[in-house]
Amino acid sequence: MSKKDMQFKALVDAYYKSLYRYAFWLTSDESIAEDLVQETFMRAWRSLDSLQNEQAAKSWLITILRRENARRFQRKSLEYADLSVDELEDQTHSFDVSTDVDAIRQALYKLSDKYREPLVLQVVMGFSQEEIASEMGLPINTVATRLRRARLQLKELLGDDHIKQGVNRRGL
């Protein structure tokens, strides 16, 4: 096994699950999330020589994944149909989630991207505010403000009942 192969295997082993979780939070679709992660690792393999600092691998992979997600919308031409809300199919997930987790997920999807993305980077990916600022190209004060506003909006969306029942223990 070559040095490049071993380096790539170490990246996949270390970051596959985290990247998949992040991709799923971005897309809300298991198969699209899987495709994004696969495309991310394919691009990472091609550009592995450009990774100078292995400490930056997590941010590097997240950047690739975010760009792949953006490309997904650039390539796609949407087809529109006139449907009433009653005609839309319920697309609940095939896996079983608790009421609290489902409530959090639904509330997160109601947040605008500018609030949801830094919150997901922090809670799901474990990024610090400094890492989020670097990843998103924002000043750290902006990230701190967006995180605070995201949490306040989530509390408002979830209501006092969920907060009292311990949803807040999940890091939100």
Side-chain angles (χ1 to χ4, degrees), residues 17-30:
K17 289 179 182 178
S18 296
L19 287 174
Y20 177 79
R21 279 194 313 269
Y22 181 59
F24 183 76
W25 277 104
L26 286 175
T27 64
S28 305
D29 185 291
E30 294 174 18

Side-chain angles (χ1 to χ4, degrees), residues 3-12 14-15 19 40-41 43-64 135:
K3 180 181 177 186
K4 183 177 179 179
D5 291 338
M6 291 188 311
Q7 184 182 15
F8 182 73
K9 183 180 179 341
L11 284 176
V12 172
Y15 299 111
L19 287 174
T40 297
F41 279 119
R43 287 190 184 273
W45 170 258
R46 289 186 204 135
S47 303
L48 196 55
D49 297 332
S50 70
L51 179 62
Q52 302 297 322
N53 179 0
E54 296 210 11
Q55 301 295 340
K58 185 177 184 180
S59 293
W60 181 64
L61 289 168
I62 289 290
T63 300
I64 295 171
E135 184 65 34

Side-chain angles (χ1 to χ4, degrees), residues 97-114:
V97 294
S98 75
T99 306
D100 285 344
V101 173
D102 193 43
I104 293 170
R105 180 172 283 122
Q106 295 303 318
L108 275 171
Y109 291 136
K110 291 178 182 176
L111 296 177
S112 69
D113 287 342
K114 78 179 192 176

Side-chain angles (χ1 to χ4, degrees), residues 50-101:
S50 70
L51 179 62
Q52 302 297 322
N53 179 0
E54 296 210 11
Q55 301 295 340
K58 185 177 184 180
S59 293
W60 181 64
L61 289 168
I62 289 290
T63 300
I64 295 171
L65 191 138
R66 289 177 71 217
R67 289 180 181 160
E68 280 306 306
N69 189 46
R71 280 188 196 98
R72 184 169 64 96
F73 293 105
Q74 291 171 348
R75 292 179 276 205
K76 188 173 186 168
S77 64
L78 300 174
E79 294 180 23
Y80 297 99
D82 291 327
L83 295 174
S84 70
V85 175
D86 296 333
E87 294 176 285
L88 294 176
E89 179 182 331
D90 180 16
Q91 300 211 352
T92 56
H93 300 291
S94 60
F95 50 88
D96 184 37
V97 294
S98 75
T99 306
D100 285 344
V101 173

